[in-house]
Amino acid sequence: MIDSYRHKGLRRQLIDELKEKGISNQAVLDAFDKVPRHFFLDSSFMNQAYTNMAFQIGAKQTISHPFTVAFQTTLLELERGHRVLEIGTGSGFQTAILCAIGVRVVSIERQKELYIKAKPIISHLGYSPNLFYGDGYKGKASYAPYDSILVTCGAPFIPQELKDQLKVGGRLVIPIGEGKMQIMTRLTKLENGEFETETYGDFSFVPMLTKTAK
Ligand code: SAH
């Protein structure tokens, strides 16, 4: 896999586009500079890798729009060394963005094909998140508690396990809704165990599915 000056130039243009759309978190923008998105796409989409578009990645799933990745990552308010759980590894692009920010990442994917495909690409970039094939509804209790949890598929409801695995003060960013659109939602865990809820408008994600696919 080659990361040419042309690709780097295209990344800078994408970063400018993200800034125009309101992304201002420097750590997030720097991560977009570091991670070559074209590594995560089929060669037929190479030329469009740095446009603000979603693409098929196999197993009927899609890599999220760059803006969506940047927006969700910003909502997590990450700090270096934070422990983050991601539900829906997919292509692995969002996972790599989290790693580039310097947080410790645990990521779960329910499609074996995608789990297998993402792993070597992320390793090739020098990152070593803990990747798992399994059901994201259960979270990953063995690595909990988390400073942040990020769900990258549309959830019909908020899984209790994910709430339980969050630290006090920790944030859960989750698109909620069935059907075509979901409402981007951020829950912050309070000291009394309750949650503060904020919403950030409509987004469109592939659905969070219940059974682990073969
Ligand atoms: N972060 C990814 C987004 C991929 S789309 C990227 O940028 O490429 C969402 C992913 O969530 C899909 O790969 C889908 O297979 C996965 N997914 C859906 N339901 C899930 C579940 N219950 N547990 C874990 N992953 C799930």
Side-chain angles (χ1 to χ4, degrees), residues 40-42 45 55-63 89-92 109 113-114 117:
F40 296 87
L41 295 173
D42 285 344
F45 299 129
F55 299 100
Q56 300 294 327
I57 53 171
K60 294 193 199 136
Q61 306 302 327
T62 50
I63 182 170
T89 316
S91 66
E109 171 58 51
E113 171 189 340
L114 299 179
K117 208 160 144 188

Side-chain angles (χ1 to χ4, degrees), residues 37 40 57-65 69 72 86-95 107-111 114 132 134-138 150 152-154 205-212:
R37 189 171 184 249
F40 296 87
I57 53 171
K60 294 193 199 136
Q61 306 302 327
T62 50
I63 182 170
S64 299
H65 288 75
V69 172
Q72 286 198 290
E86 177 192 23
I87 309 300
T89 316
S91 66
F93 177 68
Q94 167 81 72
T95 318
S107 184
I108 307 173
E109 171 58 51
R110 71 179 284 284
Q111 301 279 0
L114 299 179
F132 294 96
D135 180 11
Y137 278 94
K138 300 196 185 88
L150 169 62
T152 72
C153 35
F205 285 84
V206 295
M208 184 171 183
L209 301 169
T210 40
K211 289 206 182 76
T212 303

Side-chain angles (χ1 to χ4, degrees), residues 35-131:
V35 180
R37 189 171 184 249
H38 64 284
F39 284 12
F40 296 87
L41 295 173
D42 285 344
S43 51
S44 49
F45 299 129
M46 278 299 156
N47 290 330
Q48 295 121 298
Y50 296 99
T51 57
N52 188 33
M53 286 171 75
F55 299 100
Q56 300 294 327
I57 53 171
K60 294 193 199 136
Q61 306 302 327
T62 50
I63 182 170
S64 299
H65 288 75
F67 175 75
T68 304
V69 172
F71 191 78
Q72 286 198 290
T73 310
T74 301
L75 287 181
L76 298 173
E77 294 184 19
L78 300 172
E79 287 172 25
R80 287 186 82 81
H82 270 183
R83 192 187 286 266
V84 180
L85 172 66
E86 177 192 23
I87 309 300
T89 316
S91 66
F93 177 68
Q94 167 81 72
T95 318
I97 288 286
L98 295 171
C99 293
I101 289 175
V103 299
R104 290 176 291 164
V105 185
V106 176
S107 184
I108 307 173
E109 171 58 51
R110 71 179 284 284
Q111 301 279 0
K112 199 162 210 172
E113 171 189 340
L114 299 179
Y115 158 75
I116 290 169
K117 208 160 144 188
K119 221 172 180 175
I121 306 171
I122 298 172
S123 306
H124 179 78
L125 293 174
Y127 302 127
S128 44
N130 291 102
L131 302 179

Side-chain angles (χ1 to χ4, degrees), residues 130-195:
N130 291 102
L131 302 179
F132 294 96
Y133 164 58
D135 180 11
Y137 278 94
K138 300 196 185 88
K140 199 74 188 166
S142 50
Y143 288 81
Y146 299 96
D147 296 283
S148 289
I149 300 179
L150 169 62
V151 179
T152 72
C153 35
F157 58 89
I158 305 168
Q160 185 60 42
E161 281 86 345
L162 300 187
K163 286 169 143 184
D164 292 345
Q165 291 173 24
L166 207 56
K167 275 185 195 170
V168 169
R171 283 165 281 271
L172 167 61
V173 172
I174 180 167
I176 302 176
E178 287 173 284
K180 277 210 152 72
M181 301 306 277
Q182 293 81 36
I183 298 173
M184 187 65 76
T185 308
R186 179 167 75 174
L187 273 72
T188 304
K189 196 171 199 168
L190 307 175
E191 291 222 5
N192 61 7
E194 306 262 311
F195 288 83

